[in-house]
Amino acid sequence: MKNYFISLLLIFPGIFFFSSCRKYPLKSTNDNAVSLYNCSKTTVTSYICFDSLLTDSRCPSGGECVWQGTAIIQVTFHENGNSHTFKMSLQGFPSLGHPSDTSINGHMIVFTDLKPYPALNIPAPNVKDIKATFSILH
């Protein structure tokens, strides 16, 4: 009986913690994908803008690379009239100041994907086709 009570004391706080998290849908072309030089739906109090693609050194499909590479972008997160501009990396390079996630005023922002993926012998993508995908948890 004592073990059962202790188990309940450990389980209920975990359930409460995970049920209090909610994902903010960014509602763009791809639900949570934002095109380069554009913002997610701006009718909500929190939204994100994909300001620039600083570098994309990911190993192209069909290529053989010594290093897998990464993509580094600059974004601006807007919340209640305040804006926060920062850089993010797909693989996360926190020692260089380029993490794949960040926390701003209780919002956890995660850079999860960049499309299209580079490929050998394919021309550079059109700017309107470049999209960054984010997850935002509160």
Side-chain angles (χ1 to χ4, degrees):
M1 184 69 172
K2 183 177 178 182
N3 287 340
Y4 179 74
F5 182 71
I6 291 173
S7 296
L8 286 177
L9 286 176
L10 294 174
I11 292 174
F12 281 120
I15 292 171
F16 177 74
F17 173 76
F18 287 112
S19 67
S20 66
C21 293
R22 64 181 189 266
K23 211 176 233 185
Y24 281 89
L26 291 179
K27 302 282 188 205
S28 187
T29 317
N30 234 353
D31 286 346
N32 58 350
V34 180
S35 297
L36 182 60
Y37 307 126
N38 287 295
C39 298
S40 63
K41 190 173 182 176
T42 58
T43 59
V44 292
T45 59
S46 300
Y47 62 96
I48 196 163
C49 297
F50 181 9
D51 300 332
S52 61
L53 173 60
L54 301 173
T55 186
D56 189 354
S57 63
R58 296 175 291 169
C59 184
S61 58
E64 292 184 32
C65 302
V66 186
W67 182 59
Q68 67 183 0
T70 190
I72 299 173
I73 63 172
Q74 180 171 307
V75 299
T76 302
F77 180 68
H78 299 267
E79 177 198 28
N80 298 323
N82 298 316
S83 62
H84 309 273
T85 301
F86 49 94
K87 296 174 185 170
M88 301 184 90
S89 169
L90 266 178
Q91 302 302 325
F93 287 92
S95 62
L96 298 175
H98 307 303
S100 60
D101 60 16
T102 191
S103 181
I104 298 173
N105 296 333
H107 299 276
M108 174 59 85
I109 303 165
V110 183
F111 176 30
T112 59
D113 198 11
L114 181 68
K115 299 280 187 200
Y117 194 86
L120 288 177
N121 302 319
I122 304 272
N126 191 326
V127 170
K128 66 180 171 92
D129 297 329
I130 300 173
K131 295 178 175 66
T133 304
F134 304 93
S135 291
I136 299 181
L137 302 171
H138 178 69

